[in-house]
Amino acid sequence: MSIQQHDGQAAPGAPQQQAARGNWPNGIAPYSSPIPMARTHLGHALVSEWTKIRTVRSTVWTLSVMFALVVGIGFLTALGLSGDDFTGQPLLAGGLFGLMLGQICVITLGVLVVTSEYGTGLIRTTLTACPQRGRVLLAKATVFFGLAFVTTTLACVLTALINSALLGDQTRPSYVDAEDFSGSFEGGKVVASGGEWLGATVGAGLYVALLGLLSLAVGALLRHSAGAITAMLGVVLLPLVMALFMVGEALQDVRRMLLEYSPLNGLASLYRIPMSEDQDATGWPLLGGLAVVTLVVLAGAYALLNKRDV
């Protein structure tokens, strides 16, 4: 049967159209998208995760609270100590107290980066758009770690500058031996060495960012916000709390080990006020240990993400 126009005449080109359709199975030509197709790569996943994390209100609020806690408590601590001629602490040590609370915000955000998508079911859309699950996890980890490190380090730098400005006029009393002081002196005044500045800024920012990355990995393992946040708070706080209540002589070795390897001790050591008996601890070895643990847990999260259903 031929294709005809309304006046009874055959439409021009109709036989050619029929012949063209006849070259395909069932006479239906395959669909050709007018949008140019490109091979996806990690960069696309990074852009996607960056768009997600920066457009969610919880990210802005959580990091803002962290920044306010670190800088605000650091300022109040330095202001309260500024009336003393000698505080007995390293110049930049006051920045620790705000960061001990601020790190909880980073831990919470690290968990929510993964578990919020599981809670809403959007993880199915994410993995449909990017079937390579390892790429998704890598993109989430990279974007979050970079954001957490930059914001935390910036807060630590500002706090260190405040402490240096308000407490930089301290002088060493005659009864204080320079070798027994964990900070530094120069010309009788309390100063911060290059190592102290590095530990209280870049080191502290890296330490908290790694804790946040570990939280992200735990969130990928548990896929539950409350459970992952509770687990991470236990990892951070429980060793120190347990050590405080171990008063028996038989438990001193356990107490010493808990204090030495406590995450809070690693953070305090970067500020040159360690909680363990090793008063010369700098915190960098514990930071390296935290990096190894984080990589191991991330590897476990990657394995389970590829093994189990969404």
Side-chain angles (χ1 to χ4, degrees), residues 3-95:
I3 300 176
Q4 296 187 358
Q5 294 178 327
H6 64 278
D7 58 359
Q9 299 295 325
Q16 291 81 355
Q17 293 175 2
Q18 285 183 326
R21 284 197 297 267
N23 293 333
W24 306 102
N26 301 323
I28 301 175
Y31 173 76
S32 178
S33 174
I35 303 174
M37 304 299 291
R39 188 178 184 86
T40 59
H41 50 75
L42 179 61
H44 296 111
L46 291 173
V47 172
S48 173
E49 294 302 328
W50 170 244
T51 302
K52 291 179 189 178
I53 200 170
R54 71 179 175 84
T55 54
V56 177
R57 291 182 180 179
S58 61
T59 301
V60 178
W61 281 107
T62 303
L63 292 180
S64 298
V65 171
M66 181 276 294
F67 202 92
L69 286 173
V70 175
V71 178
I73 295 178
F75 171 73
L76 293 176
T77 302
L79 188 63
L81 295 174
S82 59
D84 298 334
D85 294 332
F86 181 68
T87 63
Q89 296 179 348
L91 184 61
L92 307 180

Side-chain angles (χ1 to χ4, degrees), residues 79-207:
L79 188 63
L81 295 174
S82 59
D84 298 334
D85 294 332
F86 181 68
T87 63
Q89 296 179 348
L91 184 61
L92 307 180
L96 170 66
F97 308 110
L99 193 59
M100 289 174 67
L101 292 176
Q103 68 178 344
I104 298 176
C105 298
V106 179
I107 289 172
T108 302
L109 182 61
V111 170
L112 293 178
V113 166
V114 174
T115 58
S116 60
E117 291 196 48
Y118 279 101
T120 59
L122 288 178
I123 189 66
R124 297 184 181 90
T125 304
T126 299
L127 297 181
T128 300
C130 183
Q132 296 183 347
R133 299 186 176 190
R135 180 183 294 176
V136 173
L137 183 62
L138 178 59
K140 286 182 179 294
T142 303
V143 170
F144 169 76
F145 179 80
L147 180 62
F149 174 70
V150 170
T151 53
T152 307
T153 303
L154 182 60
C156 291
V157 169
L158 186 55
T159 305
L161 291 173
I162 292 173
N163 279 266
S164 179
L166 294 180
L167 303 175
D169 58 348
Q170 297 181 77
T171 56
R172 179 171 69 90
S174 57
Y175 60 84
V176 175
D177 190 351
E179 295 182 356
D180 297 332
F181 183 61
S182 56
S184 303
F185 292 110
E186 184 177 312
K189 286 187 173 293
V190 179
V191 297
S193 64
E196 291 178 54
W197 275 100
L198 185 63
T201 55
V202 177
L206 187 57
Y207 199 93

